[in-house]
Amino acid sequence: MSRIISPQTPASALNDHTEHSAKIFGSPKDRLDFYRREIQYETTILANRTDAYLTAQSFLVIAFASCMSNLNPEWGKLFTLVVPAFLALLGIVSSLNAWPGIRAAYDIIDHWYFKQSQLLRSEPVMGMAFDDSPLFCETESSHKGYRKSLLFSVRTPWLFMLFWILLGAYALYIQIDNPGS
């Protein structure tokens, strides 16, 4: 049974929740292992989403370049005016559709890293497994470290959307500005 914990929740209910949580996680190490597995799982999801997005974008770029190189004298001019513009629009729409899934995975990873860092701060002995040097240093569990590693995935849809806007505008410009050739 799930419970909603609010500021008005009585202390006895919170103690029950803490006891229930202790039963789920036998020790702080079990909790840390759980957080690490969740981070790894969500990172894999983010990588898969980014890979699928980049694959789709690469095919769109190839199709766009092929359409722009059409030299058919009968219908090539109209084709190179219409089809690349639609491909650029498709690239923009796919970027806008990819963004929420990528951002959601990033937010979930951020959540689990936060939980992990709170656990490591609340249980300083956890890092001291075999010697006096901590197992997890601040750079390994800080927001700054992992966020930098996820920036590529988070920025890619916006970069491709800008790329498609510029490329679509350029394709229209060279076709409309130079109608005789």
Side-chain angles (χ1 to χ4, degrees):
M1 175 167 83
S2 65
R3 296 182 192 159
I4 298 175
I5 299 174
S6 68
Q8 292 80 22
T9 304
S12 62
L14 290 177
N15 290 339
D16 292 342
H17 177 71
T18 306
E19 290 172 15
H20 178 69
S21 179
K23 292 175 189 174
I24 292 174
F25 300 109
S27 69
K29 182 184 178 326
D30 293 339
R31 186 180 297 252
L32 180 64
D33 290 342
F34 175 76
Y35 294 160
R36 302 291 267 181
R37 281 191 308 272
E38 289 298 313
I39 290 169
Q40 182 178 9
Y41 175 73
E42 290 298 331
T43 303
T44 301
I45 288 174
L46 179 62
N48 290 341
R49 288 178 182 166
T50 304
D51 288 346
Y53 173 73
L54 289 174
T55 300
Q57 292 298 309
S58 67
F59 282 114
L60 277 176
V61 170
I62 292 167
F64 182 89
S66 297
C67 291
M68 289 301 293
S69 66
N70 186 346
L71 299 176
N72 186 311
E74 293 178 28
W75 51 269
K77 190 68 175 162
L78 182 62
F79 183 83
T80 55
L81 176 65
V82 175
V83 176
F86 280 121
L87 289 173
L89 183 62
L90 181 60
I92 292 168
V93 169
S94 69
S95 294
L96 289 172
N97 283 323
W99 169 247
I102 289 172
R103 183 61 197 202
Y106 173 83
D107 289 341
I108 293 169
I109 293 168
D110 188 43
H111 167 76
W112 289 118
Y113 263 102
F114 175 76
K115 300 281 276 183
Q116 174 184 286
S117 66
Q118 293 302 316
L119 176 64
L120 292 173
R121 283 193 187 99
S122 68
E123 301 282 342
V125 177
M126 279 188 61
M128 308 287 188
F130 297 107
D131 53 22
D132 290 334
S133 61
L135 182 60
F136 300 101
C137 66
E138 185 62 29
T139 57
E140 292 171 337
S141 62
S142 72
H143 279 336
K144 187 178 173 184
Y146 77 88
R147 283 185 174 171
K148 282 184 179 180
S149 68
L150 299 177
L151 279 179
F152 176 78
S153 293
V154 173
R155 289 180 179 167
T156 299
W158 295 107
L159 292 173
F160 264 104
M161 190 166 60
L162 178 64
F163 169 78
W164 283 116
I165 290 169
L166 294 174
L167 204 58
Y170 179 71
L172 288 174
Y173 171 76
I174 63 172
Q175 295 299 324
I176 293 172
D177 187 50
N178 201 6
S181 55

